């Protein structure tokens, strides 16, 4: 649906802090399985976001569940902050296996994973990050990643506080 241009945004206003806490609580059993600690940082007074709540939730959940999957006996943190009131920035940082520069180059490509051994050990389809990137860009935001092999990874999502409705292209 995303690639075919048939994915729609359902924009609504929702409180950021409770949403983030709910996602972290939902993720706790996955974190516990790997003996990870999950922490959430950010002001409870961060206010609302006008965006597609389902796509924001799914994006954060994808990133956090990946962080849990690739981290054992480590830490995963989700930090939420605002940038001059215009943007909401979500940072998901882990102390997991990290990625090499070559792996970082391919991280958002569909059906691509680090290598065959990663796929065998950790599973997955290689679509979560691709879909997350497309969702964030649909809402006028962007995503970046930094990582150091053996020391963890950090994904950062930037979303406008007020997502604009997509205007359909004019009909020919």
């Amino acid at each position: 649906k995303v690639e075919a241009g048939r994915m729609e945004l359902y924009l609504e206003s929702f409180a950021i802090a409770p949403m983030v806490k709910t996602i972290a609580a939902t993720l706790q059993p996955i974190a516990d399985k790997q003996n990870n600690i999950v922490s959430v940082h950010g002001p409870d007074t961060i206010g609302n976001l006008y965006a597609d709540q389902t796509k924001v939730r799914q994006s954060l959940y994808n990133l956090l569940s990946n962080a849990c999957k690739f981290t054992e006996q480590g830490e995963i943190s989700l930090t939420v902050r605002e940038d001059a009131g215009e943007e909401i920035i979500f940072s998901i940082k882990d102390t997991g296996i990290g990625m090499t520069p070559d792996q970082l180059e391919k991280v958002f490509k569909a059906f691509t994973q680090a290598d065959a051994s990663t796929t065998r050990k950790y599973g997955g389809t290689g679509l979560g990050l691709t879909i997350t990137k497309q969702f964030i860009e649909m809402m006028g935001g962007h995503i970046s990643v930094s990582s150091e092999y053996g020391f963890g990874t950090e994904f950062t999502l930037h979303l406008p506080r007020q997502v604009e409705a997509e205007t359909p292209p004019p009909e020919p």
Side-chain angles (χ1 to χ4, degrees):
K1 277 184 171 182
V2 174
E3 284 185 358
R6 286 188 288 215
M7 183 67 67
E8 293 180 35
L9 292 176
Y10 299 98
L11 301 176
E12 61 183 315
S13 183
F14 56 93
I16 299 166
M19 177 203 62
V20 166
K21 287 178 182 159
T22 300
I23 293 168
T26 303
L27 206 75
Q28 197 59 55
I30 297 167
D32 290 345
K33 249 204 280 193
Q34 298 282 82
N35 295 312
N36 290 321
I37 296 167
V38 176
S39 59
V40 177
H41 309 276
D44 285 337
T45 56
I46 196 152
N48 290 353
L49 185 59
Y50 183 76
D52 186 318
Q53 183 173 193
T54 302
K55 287 176 181 58
V56 172
R57 279 178 182 273
Q58 185 173 347
S59 297
L60 291 173
Y61 187 81
N62 280 346
L63 294 171
L64 286 162
S65 61
N66 276 356
C68 284
K69 181 166 44 167
F70 295 107
T71 304
E72 269 185 65
Q73 297 179 9
E75 295 178 35
I76 292 106
S77 67
L78 169 56
T79 303
V80 184
R81 60 189 170 88
E82 61 184 320
D83 181 23
E86 305 281 321
E87 263 187 344
I88 300 297
I89 301 165
F90 299 92
S91 296
I92 295 89
K93 187 172 186 164
D94 67 57
T95 59
I97 63 173
M99 289 182 268
T100 65
D102 184 50
Q103 291 168 338
L104 273 172
E105 279 182 35
K106 298 184 261 184
V107 76
F108 293 112
K109 290 193 175 129
F111 302 109
T112 303
Q113 293 189 325
D115 55 44
S117 67
T118 305
T119 304
R120 275 193 306 278
K121 183 173 180 183
Y122 297 102
T125 60
L127 284 174
L129 293 175
T130 304
I131 291 168
T132 295
K133 182 176 192 287
Q134 290 173 332
F135 282 175
I136 297 306
E137 289 174 353
M138 278 177 72
M139 291 184 279
H142 63 276
I143 183 171
S144 60
V145 59
S146 63
S147 184
E148 187 177 346
Y149 187 71
F151 293 96
T153 302
E154 181 172 15
F155 284 90
T156 306
L157 303 178
H158 294 255
L159 277 175
R161 186 181 278 278
Q162 181 89 17
V163 171
E164 300 293 323
E166 286 184 310
T167 51
E171 292 195 29

